[in-house]
Amino acid sequence: MTDKTGETDRYRQGLTTRREVLGEAHVDRALANETEFDKPFQTFITEGAWGSLWSRPGLSKRERSIVTIALLAAGGHYDEVAMHVRATARTGATKTDICEALMHVAVYAGVPAANHAFKIAKSVYSEMEAGTDTGGDADEKRTA
């Protein structure tokens, strides 16, 4: 159902889930940087990825986080790997979970992909633990 602003129930659910996983600051930055050009894309990922997929009951947010990081690493989508490693603070996926997922990437998608993802995850975790993580401000303006 669409409300008077044009938002669908799926969009509203997606926005809620997106905020739960990625955090208020990240989503606020993405929406603040939205233009008429990319508004359809932002709506699409909010409804599709977050409202349809991440909001499904079949897997926990922790499990979805693990799967997502492995798939992103396997595909070489490293900016997104960093973003989703940051999200583990909210999804409950542990460093051990992510290590195990990246070990699978090494076997099934290639050592170079896993090696680079490990490098990114180590850096993000180090920044998070030191309290110096900026949330990837420069990179996240162009990511989901």
Side-chain angles (χ1 to χ4, degrees):
M1 172 170 262
T2 304
D3 68 12
K4 62 185 175 188
T5 67
E7 291 181 355
T8 64
D9 290 340
R10 184 157 295 166
Y11 180 88
R12 286 188 295 278
Q13 176 58 57
L15 198 55
T16 298
T17 301
R18 192 176 178 190
R19 289 183 183 284
E20 288 171 358
V21 173
L22 300 178
E24 296 286 335
H26 171 84
V27 175
D28 288 346
R29 277 192 306 273
L31 295 177
N33 287 301
E34 183 180 87
T35 66
E36 286 302 311
F37 175 71
D38 71 340
K39 185 176 179 68
F41 175 71
Q42 290 295 325
T43 299
F44 171 73
I45 61 172
T46 300
E47 289 179 344
W50 300 105
S52 292
L53 184 63
W54 275 83
S55 297
R56 290 175 56 84
L59 296 174
S60 68
K61 286 185 177 62
R62 174 187 161 270
E63 292 165 325
R64 289 185 192 284
S65 195
I66 294 165
V67 169
T68 299
I69 290 170
L71 290 168
L72 291 169
H77 307 291
Y78 299 117
D79 287 342
E80 298 277 328
V81 169
M83 177 180 70
H84 280 277
V85 168
R86 285 183 190 93
T88 63
R90 288 174 292 284
T91 65
T94 66
K95 287 169 107 178
T96 300
D97 293 332
I98 302 313
C99 176
E100 291 299 323
L102 295 179
M103 294 295 290
H104 276 268
V105 170
V107 170
Y108 292 100
V111 170
N115 186 45
H116 195 71
F118 266 111
K119 178 181 174 183
I120 291 166
K122 282 173 47 176
S123 176
V124 170
Y125 282 133
S126 178
E127 291 171 2
M128 289 170 66
E129 290 165 2
T132 60
D133 182 49
T134 62
D137 289 341
D139 291 338
E140 289 185 9
K141 287 180 183 172
R142 58 188 159 91
T143 60

